[in-house]
Structure formats: C-alpha cells, structure tokens
Amino acid sequence: MQKESEAMRRYRTSGLKFEQDNEFYSTFRRSPAIGLEFEEGVVRRDPSDIIKVGEFLYVWYTRTAKGPPAVGPEKATETLRAFPWDLAEIWYATSADGKTWTEQGLAVPRGPK
C-alpha cells in the first residue's frame, strides 16, 4: 500500500476542486517575445523575473552559443554538449514595452572548469 503524503491529505480533505479552485494552479497568457524568437542552434532557458529599472525592463536567461548538436553524456567534452542546454552562459535582454526585446549580450560568462 502506498502512503499518502501529508500535503496530499490536506489537499484531498480541503474540499478544493481540481484546477478551478486550487490556488496552486494558474492560467497564464502567452505572447511572442519579439526579438527573442527561435534561433536554430541556440537554446534560451531559465528566464529570471522581469525587472523594471527606470524606463526599461530587464530579463536574464541562460543561452547556449550556436555549435554542434548535443552528443549525449558519454561523448560530452568541455566543448561538446551532452544536452542542448549544456555549456550555457547568462545573457540579458531589455525592453521598453515588454513585447519587443533587444538581446544585449553576455552578462555572466561560464566560469572555469
């Protein structure tokens, strides 16, 4: 018999319905981030919260450089990625309206091995 976690028991006995009444579920609207569209061979992931400084919005994210495709963990090296998101650096972009973004470039390079 599988034991029920305390968190699951609280949820089950709370009377909340699945998604509609559950505070842990949200509905998000999405719109394209113009200027940060898909780019063959580049992976952008792990965005920060968007931060407003003065008139501009800033976001930081991990980004991989264009290069050879991922080769898997067995063949990975310091220059060949095991997974598409490996060997990433932290980049940032800015926006005046939250819709159109300008990739500014590298914010934090990869550290030494």
Side-chain angles (χ1 to χ4, degrees):
M1 181 176 154
Q2 189 174 22
K3 292 187 177 185
E4 182 178 56
S5 73
E6 183 62 23
M8 192 62 199
R9 186 196 64 74
R10 281 194 311 270
Y11 170 70
R12 183 179 49 76
T13 60
S14 71
L16 292 174
K17 303 289 184 237
F18 182 55
E19 290 187 23
Q20 297 85 343
D21 298 328
N22 189 336
E23 65 182 301
F24 296 111
Y25 290 90
S26 298
T27 302
F28 295 95
R29 291 174 301 175
R30 297 180 184 199
S31 59
I34 300 165
L36 297 175
E37 294 92 351
F38 173 78
E39 188 177 340
E40 188 68 42
V42 173
V43 177
R44 292 181 185 93
R45 296 171 43 118
D46 313 312
S48 69
D49 288 340
I50 295 172
I51 299 170
K52 186 172 184 180
V53 179
E55 297 299 314
F56 287 96
L57 301 167
Y58 290 77
V59 66
W60 290 263
Y61 47 90
T62 57
R63 183 185 189 277
T64 61
K66 288 184 181 183
V71 296
E74 299 81 25
K75 296 180 184 177
T77 67
E78 291 181 34
T79 57
L80 290 175
R81 300 187 259 263
F83 303 101
W85 54 86
D86 283 349
L87 308 179
E89 299 174 309
I90 299 175
W91 283 49
Y92 77 106
T94 58
S95 175
D97 62 8
K99 296 177 184 178
T100 302
W101 292 86
T102 301
E103 191 165 62
Q104 298 295 337
L106 183 64
V108 180
R110 287 180 49 229
K113 183 176 176 182

